[in-house]
Amino acid sequence: DTSNAAIAERLALMADLMAFKGENKFKIGAYQKAARLVGKWEAPLAAMAPPERLALPGIGKGLAADIDALLATGRI
């Protein structure tokens, strides 16, 4: 599923997994923020070009790459 809701769910899950592993709190926060943003974003991310996704507020290179991978393969 490439809906924004599905992408947001995966990003939130990644944040939870990172928190469980004790990873950097700023990286966890970035994934949580991205999950909220993507979940509320009206335009489908799957229809956007990668540079457009990178231009979203709070989406850096790493998150954009993970979203690209998720859309391409279904996995992060």
Side-chain angles (χ1 to χ4, degrees), residues 2 14 16-17 19 22 25 35-36 48 66 71 76:
T2 60
M14 283 297 296
D16 291 345
L17 292 172
K25 66 180 181 178
R36 288 190 300 273
M48 298 170 77
D66 283 348
L71 290 170
I76 296 178

Side-chain angles (χ1 to χ4, degrees), residues 4 7-9 11-12 30-40:
N4 288 2
I7 295 168
E9 185 179 311
L11 293 173
Y31 275 78
Q32 291 169 334
K33 181 179 176 183
R36 288 190 300 273
L37 171 84
V38 169
K40 294 178 183 178

Side-chain angles (χ1 to χ4, degrees), residues 13-58:
L13 176 61
M14 283 297 296
D16 291 345
L17 292 172
M18 285 188 266
F20 180 74
K21 289 177 66 178
E23 292 194 23
N24 181 301
K25 66 180 181 178
F26 296 107
K27 187 173 181 179
I28 295 165
Y31 275 78
Q32 291 169 334
K33 181 179 176 183
R36 288 190 300 273
L37 171 84
V38 169
K40 294 178 183 178
W41 201 259
E42 291 185 18
L45 266 64
M48 298 170 77
E52 292 175 303
R53 290 191 290 268
L54 182 58
L56 294 174

